[in-house]
Amino acid sequence: MPEAAPTDRPRSATRTEVEFATSGHTGAPVSWWHSTDQLAYEAGLVADLLVGEVDHVINFAPTRHLFGSLFGEVLPRARGIDVHQAWRHPVTDVPPLRPGARTLLVCLPSAWPLLRRLLPALGALPRVVALHSTAAVPEAAKDVVRALHGTGFTAQTLLGATETGAVAHRPVAPAGTDDGPWRLLPDVALVPEPGIRAAAGTPRLLHVISPRIGRRHDMSEPPVSWRTTDLVRRRGPREFDHLGRASRLVKANGVRVWLDEVEAALAGALPGLDVACVPVADGVRGEHYELYCAPGGPGAPAVEPPLVRRALARLLPGVPGPRAVHPVDRIPRSALGKVRVPELRPTAFGRTA
């Protein structure tokens, strides 16, 4: 598919828009609006580039989010494809694979352990394409790709956000191998940063120009470019390595969690509690976080993990709870207050939950 410069495809003049909510830097919901033309174009662009012709869609992503809406609603409706909304069912339910059907799987990290149980059925289909929604790919996904090597199965992961839509893609590599660099989608370009040399190798925030950037609720028009919280290193004009996030943000099964917001909420509700949120890799969700909690002073009782979990659920409803809560005797910090993570982990005591 030929690549077009972003300016080659003008923005739609339509005012028909769809709202998607995301968490801003403060954790408060922020509405972003995408025109129906933007949605239709993105679904078609990704389908033509990475998916091809399919007969059946199994969608594990809630359609209230941009990723699930694009490939669980917009694409099937535009092309007359049957879709099964697997996100409405418990994650233990086996989705209805159709013998002989070319199948698109719209995946969150939590879908991959289930797909790993369906290897014989997936391998028997003439063609299966899995689209993964986030930069963090769980080991279960790599296991599936390795097990189905040589069949009609392929997997691609998309990098993007509610603000920008998808901006880049790369294949999911088998377990034990490197995924390789990210490649920009055809209508996306990197924005040159003033004062920064364009040579590859300089870490910087991912700043893109695209006709598919949404319109924040307080904007009259969508911005032409957007700077994300993703830290990248350019390999060339259209390829880059993803180095992580510049902000303290993790995506637990695709849901944003601002770790500073979690710490501040708990510290305010449980006076004297010292809290540290630590991002961790997760074999099922791709990425997650754990909480370390220390008592407020000498002689104070150890913090009970269930109390911390209940407080967090009350304070930040909808935010995924931590993978684990570790009571510790103290949280080691530098003179500037930064947590010394290598010194933190061995101090855990008491009951973890």
Side-chain angles (χ1 to χ4, degrees):
M1 181 176 180
E3 294 184 340
T7 52
D8 289 345
R9 194 171 295 275
R11 294 182 180 275
S12 169
T14 182
R15 280 300 182 186
T16 304
E17 296 177 312
V18 180
E19 180 184 13
F20 298 94
T22 186
S23 296
H25 289 273
T26 64
V30 176
S31 293
W32 282 83
W33 296 82
H34 289 264
S35 74
T36 54
D37 283 1
Q38 284 178 319
L39 298 176
Y41 177 64
E42 179 167 341
L45 173 72
V46 173
D48 290 342
L49 185 68
L50 304 177
V51 177
E53 296 295 328
V54 293
D55 311 305
H56 188 212
V57 175
I58 297 177
N59 177 34
F60 293 96
T63 54
R64 65 181 179 275
H65 300 308
L66 180 59
F67 179 66
S69 176
L70 284 168
F71 304 108
E73 288 184 329
V74 177
L75 180 65
R77 183 168 59 242
R79 302 197 174 181
I81 305 169
D82 289 337
V83 58
H84 173 72
Q85 302 293 356
W87 61 272
R88 293 175 176 164
H89 306 279
V91 294
T92 54
D93 283 2
V94 176
L97 297 176
R98 294 183 181 176
R102 297 167 297 180
T103 302
L104 170 63
L105 305 172
V106 184
C107 296
L108 295 179
S110 59
W112 289 99
L114 176 58
L115 297 179
R116 191 164 49 186
R117 294 163 43 194
L118 301 175
L119 293 177
L122 290 170
L125 294 175
R127 188 163 178 273
V128 180
V129 179
L131 283 183
H132 182 70
S133 67
T134 180
V137 176
E139 284 302 311
K142 292 178 166 289
D143 291 342
V144 171
V145 172
R146 180 177 57 183
L148 295 176
H149 178 71
T151 70
F153 183 91
T154 60
Q156 292 275 343
T157 184
L158 296 173
L159 178 65
T162 304
E163 297 90 336
T164 61
V167 300
H169 67 95
R170 68 177 179 181
V172 178
T177 59
D178 181 29
D179 288 307
W182 291 91
R183 183 167 180 79
L184 293 172
L185 288 170
D187 63 338
V188 180
L190 297 175
V191 177
E193 298 291 342
I196 299 178
R197 297 184 65 182
T202 304
R204 67 193 66 189
L205 292 177
L206 180 61
H207 189 186
V208 296
I209 182 171
S210 167
R212 293 181 282 103
I213 296 173
R215 181 183 65 82
R216 198 172 58 203
H217 64 89
D218 56 351
M219 298 173 173
S220 59
E221 295 290 338
V224 174
S225 68
W226 191 256
R227 182 180 284 107
T228 75
T229 60
D230 298 287
L231 192 65
V232 302
R233 179 184 291 116
R234 291 178 62 167
R235 288 200 181 189
R238 302 195 59 78
E239 291 186 344
F240 59 87
D241 295 318
H242 190 274
L243 305 179
R245 294 194 179 94
S247 66
R248 297 190 67 221
L249 164 70
V250 300
K251 287 187 177 181
N253 201 33
V255 179
R256 298 182 186 193
V257 182
W258 298 95
L259 301 186
D260 289 337
E261 181 74 8
V262 172
E263 291 175 351
L266 287 173
L270 303 173
L273 182 71
D274 196 7
V275 183
C277 285
V278 178
V280 295
D282 188 276
V284 174
R285 301 169 184 86
E287 55 185 313
H288 214 301
Y289 73 103
E290 295 186 353
L291 278 178
Y292 290 79
C293 301
V303 178
E304 289 295 322
L307 173 66
V308 175
R309 288 189 178 277
R310 288 195 297 270
L312 184 59
R314 182 182 73 254
L315 295 165
L316 298 176
V319 172
R323 187 175 70 171
V325 178
H326 304 284
V328 297
D329 53 3
R330 68 182 183 88
I331 294 178
R333 297 181 183 273
S334 70
L336 298 177
K338 295 185 67 174
V339 177
R340 292 192 176 103
V341 175
E343 300 175 26
L344 172 65
R345 298 183 187 279
T347 68
F349 72 91
R351 184 161 58 90
T352 295

